[in-house]
Amino acid sequence: MSENRTELSQLGEFGLIDHINSKFSISQPSTIKGIGDDAAIIEGGSDSLLISTDMLMEGVHFNLSYMPLPHLGYKAVAVNVSDIAAMNATPTQIVISIGISNRFSLEAVDALFEGIHAACKNYNVDLVGGDTTSSVSGLVISITVLGRASKNEVVQRSGAKANDIICVTGDLGAAYLGLQVLEREKEVFLSNPDVQPDLEQYEYLVGRQLKPEARMDIVHELRERKCIPTSMIDISDGLASELFHLGKQSGVGVKIFEDKVPIDHMTFETAIEFKLDPITCALHGGEDYELLFTINPADYDKIKNHPDIHFIGHMHPDANQNVMVTKQQTVIPLTAQGWNHFKSE
Ligand code: ADP
Ligand code: MG
């Protein structure tokens, strides 16, 4: 340890990960891809094995005043499965570690695991282990997921080529607005407990925040259509930030069109209500857990009629060009705000 003190906020989350990464090198021949993708890739005979981990912390990732425990359990599994989906692979097993205080009853733990059980069933993964410890500072859930895919099907962030078509599934920004709605209702409730939360008209947005699904359906459908993306990532931090990851790791730039970015009408209207720009919510909102991927233009016909895949632009030969063409046809630079855990707001 030197005497210097460097604030983590100076590095940001990605800077910190790069810093940790720089201190390690790979020595096992079976490690095909280490730090830097949605999951690590391990040699597994005829297949590749995938491994990824994600932790949810009370007060950072969820608030128990509006997050029911079964939903939390489901979400903790879904966000892990999403990272396996982002490698174009199939999840197989999970291990779960929980840090829990005696403020929780057995019934509460049962409720949490009810959601975990439902997710295991839905994604067809086995819970095969974990660790249990007491916590003095809120609930912590850490899940590690294992997955598998045949070698030629595994998709990394780094494979995009210039002119590849950028595709995104579902719609974006809804989970972020769902969170805004929940936060607002919590404030209303705290100031006047007699007022019951009015969430009905925001059901879609709140559902996107509390009950995200990993897009394994898309992974299966791409497989059926014999379409292997050239690069892929799941949208956990926001479209712009994830586009930067694909562009940077592939050594190309990005050009997207604002009018092609899928935004649900509820997201649009609620953004306006909150005096937010809908496209900003879609670009930087995060937690959508949709898939962002690129395809070779030759594969376009295979998926062009898919109802839930949207074509929002293409990779640019110039790695320094990361732009969005607005609805007014102005070309503006993309910025990657995303969720940066240590950056001061
Ligand atoms: P994702 O959003 O897909 O979960 P992250 O941004 O969390 O990905 O992580 C990016 C990469 O950095 C992944 O390969 C992840 O395994 C790695 N990573 C994150 N935190 C650490 C850490 N503390 N030590 C080692 N690797 C890490
Ligand atoms: Mg990811």
Side-chain angles (χ1 to χ4, degrees):
M1 290 269 284
S2 69
E3 282 175 22
N4 291 338
R5 180 187 159 94
T6 310
E7 299 302 329
L8 293 179
S9 58
Q10 275 174 253
L11 288 100
E13 183 187 346
F14 299 134
L16 178 61
I17 294 172
D18 286 345
H19 178 79
I20 295 169
N21 194 13
S22 71
K23 302 203 180 292
F24 290 82
S25 58
I26 299 297
S27 62
Q28 290 285 347
S30 56
T31 307
I32 298 170
K33 171 82 196 183
I35 293 173
D37 217 302
D38 292 286
I41 308 173
I42 313 292
E43 170 69 50
S46 60
D47 285 352
S48 290
L49 302 177
L50 292 308
I51 180 163
S52 179
T53 192
D54 251 310
M55 179 157 66
L56 297 185
M57 297 260 305
E58 184 176 356
V60 179
H61 299 99
F62 60 89
N63 188 317
L64 287 172
S65 63
Y66 51 65
M67 181 59 129
L69 285 165
H71 287 88
L72 179 62
Y74 194 97
K75 182 169 178 173
V77 178
V79 302
N80 272 278
V81 169
S82 181
D83 277 322
I84 298 296
M87 305 301 288
N88 201 32
T90 306
T92 50
Q93 288 87 14
I94 54 170
V95 293
I96 302 190
S97 300
I98 53 170
I100 198 160
S101 73
N102 54 15
R103 146 171 92 91
F104 290 88
S105 62
L106 174 62
E107 288 71 23
V109 174
D110 277 347
L112 178 69
F113 274 83
E114 183 194 312
I116 290 170
H117 191 263
C120 285
K121 220 171 146 204
N122 188 30
Y123 298 116
N124 194 19
V125 297
D126 293 334
L127 170 60
V128 294
D131 194 22
T132 308
T133 163
S134 60
S135 161
V136 287
S137 60
L139 181 61
V140 182
I141 307 169
S142 172
I143 299 189
T144 299
V145 60
L146 283 159
R148 181 179 277 274
S150 65
K151 281 206 164 80
N152 66 321
E153 279 177 346
V154 175
V155 176
Q156 301 190 33
R157 294 177 177 177
S158 55
K161 301 274 182 299
N163 302 319
D164 278 359
I165 299 168
I166 303 173
C167 313
V168 67
T169 62
D171 60 80
L172 302 177
Y176 175 73
L177 281 158
L179 182 63
Q180 305 313 306
V181 169
L182 288 165
E183 290 281 354
R184 181 178 68 185
E185 295 305 317
K186 190 185 81 185
E187 292 306 318
V188 172
F189 181 75
L190 287 178
S191 57
N192 184 357
D194 294 331
V195 180
Q196 283 303 306
D198 167 29
L199 295 176
E200 206 166 304
Q201 60 162 314
Y202 302 107
E203 200 183 339
Y204 176 65
L205 306 180
V206 169
R208 293 280 288 171
Q209 170 61 220
L210 298 183
K211 295 184 286 186
E213 287 286 0
R215 296 306 306 261
M216 282 309 302
D217 57 329
I218 297 287
V219 173
H220 294 305
E221 284 157 15
L222 288 173
R223 212 166 279 170
E224 277 161 25
R225 290 165 195 235
K226 299 194 174 14
C227 177
I228 301 178
T230 51
S231 69
M232 184 146 65
I233 189 167
D234 67 328
I235 304 182
S236 50
D237 292 338
L239 176 64
S241 167
E242 316 300 2
L243 281 167
F244 270 93
H245 285 307
L246 293 187
K248 191 176 166 204
Q249 295 200 25
S250 299
V252 286
V254 163
K255 185 176 192 177
I256 63 165
F257 296 84
E258 182 183 0
D259 63 348
K260 304 280 189 223
V261 175
I263 299 176
D264 185 82
H265 72 99
M266 265 316 296
T267 305
F268 198 93
E269 282 162 26
T270 310
I272 303 292
E273 187 191 327
F274 276 81
K275 300 194 167 44
L276 296 166
D277 188 1
I279 188 70
T280 305
C281 297
L283 287 174
H284 305 296
E287 291 207 284
D288 294 307
Y289 297 103
E290 295 294 341
L291 290 173
L292 171 68
F293 58 95
T294 55
I295 56 164
N296 185 315
D299 282 337
Y300 175 64
D301 280 348
K302 296 178 185 169
I303 60 169
K304 69 177 180 199
N305 294 323
H306 193 294
D308 213 19
I309 298 178
H310 310 277
F311 306 97
I312 63 168
H314 51 80
M315 302 312 265
H316 198 281
D318 180 352
N320 296 314
Q321 285 286 322
N322 292 289
V323 297
M324 178 169 80
V325 181
T326 67
K327 288 180 181 164
Q328 293 77 33
Q329 304 302 314
T330 328
V331 180
I332 59 165
L334 273 176
T335 55
Q337 274 164 232
W339 290 118
N340 215 332
H341 284 277
F342 303 110
K343 285 268 189 207
S344 28
E345 294 283 301

